[in-house]
Amino acid sequence: LEFSKRVAALELKIKENILLNNNVFQALSTTLPDLLELVEADGAAIVHPDRTVVFKTKLHSKLVNELHTYVSAITHKQAVYQNHQFNQEHGDAFGFSIPFAGFCRIDMDASQTFSVYVFRNEVVIEEEWAGRPEKIMRYDDTRQVYTPSPRQSFQAWKQSVYGTCIPWNSMEINALEQVRQVVRDSLLQRSDELTKLNEELIQLNNALDAYSYTVTHDLRNPLASIKLMAQFLQQKLGSEHPIVLKGTDNILDAVSNMEGMMNKILEFSRAKVYQYTPEWVDMSRILADIVQSCSHRYQVTPDSIQMGNPLPVFGEKTLLYQLFSNLVSNAVKYSSKAEKPQIRIDSFIED
């Protein structure tokens, strides 16, 4: 009963650590001391695809991984494997000295990539018999056969057995299996949560695709009307009124940028994988348009924004416009309330 309570306490501690750390590997690592005390082991190790940790054993992680590969090949995907005389039976297969006599291993997954080892050191066992165990054979001339001679003495005979450890009993094996089940339940729960999140993400993406398609489609007619009106004003009044010519140029550039962004959004909504076509983009014209637009929007003087010598950028033109539009717009917006705002846009090359 007392042992069952200790097992239940360890299970609860592992579950609490998983909830706190949101990491099964980390939660199991922090409870290794409790696990060793529960099953009366002398050392432990956890093998995981991310990394391997060792606890109270002379083996470092690289040697534990070598041991893990060897054991995986001979266990034939047993969920729990124990051998109290592993060093005696398999020690010669390794190019290093094994500092333990036996171990018990529990696999947390079917692929044997996430496993826990608990090691036990050598314990010299004294075996005792009433009399020497071997029989002395004598030849019977009459019967012409060898027969065992009767035991002459029943004096106690002892023999020391080396290279073994105390085998794990059924209660200890059951405790390790319960720890395994707790970890597996947590892994399955996380897998279910990820599956649910992926399903929700798919639904959101589908809704976003539908919304993007609707918006880009519905904005085409208003933009076309704005473009036609700007072209009409430019043709009728642009030659006589420079301010009209400049204003209509700005409108047409803005419409062109909007059309480019809408086309990209439409392509995003239709394609699962978008293939970017990068090119060398002259940033001076793009930045000039952005600066002019921001100056009008936030009512700042042109000399508040200083333009250096923008170098060309290798990338996708529409996305670069969106990126720098956000950067410059935020800079102008949050500095426009200052008494004498100063914004400088420049570029340079670093070695």
Side-chain angles (χ1 to χ4, degrees):
L1 182 61
E2 180 64 28
F3 188 79
S4 298
K5 290 181 179 179
R6 293 171 60 194
V7 174
L10 178 60
E11 290 181 20
L12 181 60
K13 188 171 183 178
I14 293 174
K15 291 177 181 179
E16 289 176 348
N17 286 336
I18 291 174
L19 289 174
L20 290 173
N21 298 317
N22 198 28
N23 185 308
V24 176
F25 176 80
Q26 186 65 31
L28 198 56
S29 299
T30 56
T31 54
L32 277 182
D34 304 277
L35 181 62
L36 258 64
E37 183 180 355
L38 179 67
V39 299
E40 297 183 358
D42 299 300
I46 301 177
V47 177
H48 190 268
D50 293 338
R51 62 191 178 103
T52 297
V53 297
V54 295
F55 182 72
K56 286 190 175 182
T57 177
K58 295 179 180 178
L59 288 178
H60 54 73
S61 57
K62 183 178 180 181
L63 298 182
V64 171
N65 289 334
E66 187 175 336
L67 170 70
H68 180 70
T69 302
Y70 179 86
V71 176
S72 297
I74 65 173
T75 55
H76 306 294
K77 294 191 175 182
Q78 295 173 234
V80 179
Y81 170 80
Q82 64 157 324
N83 189 334
H84 67 281
Q85 50 189 14
F86 181 84
N87 194 1
Q88 188 182 85
E89 296 176 356
H90 301 278
D92 295 339
F94 300 91
F96 55 88
S97 176
I98 296 179
F100 55 84
F103 64 86
C104 183
R105 161 177 141 166
I106 49 176
D107 291 330
M108 301 300 173
D109 58 0
S111 62
Q112 294 185 313
T113 58
F114 184 12
S115 304
V116 176
Y117 289 81
V118 286
F119 306 113
R120 279 181 176 170
N121 295 333
E122 179 187 57
V123 175
V124 179
I125 300 174
E126 295 285 346
E127 295 182 345
E128 185 174 331
W129 292 273
R132 294 183 65 84
E134 61 268 18
K135 298 285 187 178
I136 299 176
M137 305 298 290
R138 296 187 183 278
Y139 187 73
D140 187 337
D141 292 331
T142 304
R143 298 167 56 191
Q144 295 184 349
V145 294
Y146 283 96
T147 59
S149 63
R151 184 171 293 168
Q152 301 296 322
S153 171
F154 288 91
Q155 181 180 0
W157 182 82
K158 298 180 179 180
Q159 180 183 13
S160 297
V161 180
Y162 298 89
T164 65
C165 67
I166 298 174
W168 279 265
N169 59 43
S170 59
M171 292 175 61
E172 292 165 340
I173 294 295
N174 183 62
L176 292 171
E177 289 177 338
Q178 287 181 250
V179 170
R180 175 179 183 266
Q181 191 60 46
V182 169
V183 173
R184 285 178 62 84
D185 288 345
S186 299
L187 292 173
L188 289 173
Q189 182 178 355
R190 287 177 60 83
S191 177
D192 291 340
E193 289 173 356
L194 288 174
T195 301
K196 185 177 180 181
L197 287 174
N198 285 333
E199 290 174 353
E200 292 177 358
L201 183 60
I202 291 172
Q203 292 177 356
L204 288 173
N205 284 336
N206 290 337
L208 182 61
D209 289 345
Y211 176 76
S212 299
Y213 179 82
T214 302
V215 168
T216 53
H217 183 270
D218 292 348
L219 284 177
R220 287 187 180 277
N221 289 335
L223 276 180
S225 299
I226 294 171
K227 185 176 182 179
L228 287 173
M229 181 56 66
Q231 290 173 340
F232 176 78
L233 291 174
Q234 196 173 61
Q235 292 175 359
K236 294 294 182 179
L237 304 174
S239 59
E240 299 177 1
H241 302 278
I243 190 171
V244 173
L245 180 61
K246 185 177 181 180
T248 51
D249 280 339
N250 292 338
I251 292 173
L252 291 173
D253 287 342
V255 169
S256 178
N257 290 328
M258 284 291 294
E259 287 177 336
M261 285 188 281
M262 287 168 53
N263 288 333
K264 290 297 182 294
I265 292 173
L266 188 60
E267 290 178 23
F268 280 135
S269 67
R270 289 176 174 175
K272 297 301 179 184
V273 179
Y274 181 75
Q275 297 295 331
Y276 293 94
T277 306
E279 58 180 320
W280 285 105
V281 179
D282 181 8
M283 296 302 300
S284 57
R285 179 175 175 81
I286 289 178
L287 287 171
D289 291 342
I290 293 173
V291 167
Q292 186 176 28
S293 174
C294 291
S295 299
H296 290 309
R297 185 187 307 171
Y298 298 105
Q299 297 180 350
V300 296
T301 57
D303 57 352
S304 299
I305 305 175
Q306 299 178 7
M307 182 77 71
N309 183 28
L311 295 171
V313 176
F314 189 70
E316 210 284 330
K317 185 176 180 180
T318 303
L319 297 180
L320 285 173
Y321 182 92
Q322 290 177 281
L323 171 64
F324 282 95
S325 177
N326 288 333
L327 291 174
V328 176
S329 177
N330 286 336
V332 175
K333 177 181 177 181
Y334 293 108
S335 64
S336 60
K337 297 180 180 180
E339 186 176 349
K340 292 182 179 180
Q342 287 293 322
I343 299 171
R344 179 170 178 79
I345 304 172
D346 206 347
S347 60
F348 51 90
I349 299 175
E350 286 188 343
D351 295 332

